[in-house]
Amino acid sequence: YQEKYGKYDAHFIGQNSKKIYLSFDQGYENGYTTPILDTLKEKNCPALFFLTGHYVKTQPELIQRMMDEGHTLGSHSTDHICFPDTPLESCKEDVEWLHSYVKDNFNYEMSLFRFPAGEFSEKTLKLMQDMGYKSVFWSFAYRDWLTDDQPDPTAALQQVTNRLHPGAIYLLHAVSSTNTQIMGDFIDHARAQGYTFAKMK
């Protein structure tokens, strides 16, 4: 996918180096973003937070904290629509609304975009590129978003550490109690293996 779609400023995996990227999709708040941010601050670890319209309207304090602590904000669309099934003009309007809202309310101009559910087409990739966005996908994700069916923390930690690879883009969800529990250990393990956590620009 990186070879096929990279021409659209799409990122499915980073460069072949020991830099890796930690990203969270923020659709709604479940009480775990604060302890995750606490761990990231303690470990001096940068992350990307992809925001929906609902999240930016309901969690201004957490968004301000993300900014204050040096994290990167990205767009996850206003309404979490399926972009390939939506007319391009409507996709554009969805992205423009969130972009303007974040710029007007937080004085922050987003330049990274994550398609809801990772669903895209070449036309929507081109649209995002034309709008000045880089499309950020992932090279690792696991079933962490079901709040009533959370993975076992020990097994989850083993899974995320076993899948370390150069240029990894990790997709995690901040609604996960498991991710909150294992975050510090994961960061420590990755660094012990020679990896550094990088900011994507």
Side-chain angles (χ1 to χ4, degrees):
Y1 271 29
Q2 189 60 53
E3 291 179 3
K4 186 174 183 179
Y5 299 116
K7 62 185 177 182
Y8 297 111
D9 287 331
H11 300 265
F12 295 85
I13 191 169
Q15 294 182 346
N16 187 22
S17 73
K18 283 216 157 183
K19 288 183 179 180
I20 58 178
Y21 306 89
L22 194 57
S23 69
F24 296 89
D25 285 359
Q26 304 285 137
Y28 64 96
E29 185 51 45
N30 198 33
Y32 296 116
T33 303
T34 292
I36 287 173
L37 285 169
D38 290 344
T39 300
L40 295 175
K41 184 177 182 180
E42 176 192 345
K43 302 293 184 182
N44 192 26
C45 179
L48 295 80
F49 290 91
F50 288 95
L51 313 171
T52 63
H54 170 77
Y55 201 88
V56 299
K57 288 184 283 188
T58 59
Q59 303 298 330
E61 296 87 359
L62 285 173
I63 293 170
Q64 189 63 51
R65 181 178 173 186
M66 294 169 190
M67 294 167 50
D68 292 345
E69 295 179 0
H71 301 297
T72 302
L73 305 183
S75 172
H76 196 36
S77 81
T78 299
D79 292 319
H80 208 268
I81 57 176
C82 176
F83 273 65
D85 292 344
T86 303
L88 282 181
E89 186 59 34
S90 297
C91 292
K92 183 180 180 184
E93 291 172 359
D94 177 285
V95 175
E96 286 178 336
W97 186 92
L98 186 57
H99 187 96
S100 296
Y101 187 92
V102 172
K103 186 175 181 180
D104 293 344
N105 288 273
F106 299 97
N107 194 30
Y108 187 100
E109 192 147 8
M110 298 183 294
S111 62
L112 303 178
F113 181 79
R114 174 164 284 159
F115 285 94
E119 296 172 333
F120 71 95
S121 64
E122 285 202 57
K123 287 183 178 180
T124 54
L125 285 175
K126 181 66 164 59
L127 172 67
M128 299 316 304
Q129 184 181 42
D130 290 345
M131 294 180 71
Y133 274 87
K134 295 179 181 178
S135 296
V136 181
F137 293 86
W138 56 87
S139 60
F140 173 88
Y142 78 120
R143 197 165 172 265
D144 65 343
W145 63 89
L146 296 175
T147 57
D148 57 352
D149 186 20
Q150 281 290 288
D152 172 73
T154 301
L157 179 61
Q158 184 174 13
Q159 186 175 1
V160 297
T161 54
N162 285 351
R163 296 285 298 279
L164 279 164
H165 53 276
I169 302 173
Y170 274 80
L171 163 59
L172 302 172
H173 291 81
V175 297
S176 165
S177 59
T178 295
N179 288 341
T180 307
Q181 288 178 257
I182 70 174
M183 190 58 51
D185 289 339
F186 169 60
I187 293 169
D188 290 344
H189 180 91
R191 286 173 169 165
Q193 300 300 312
Y195 289 92
T196 58
F197 289 88
K199 293 184 71 171
M200 190 175 290
K201 300 177 181 178

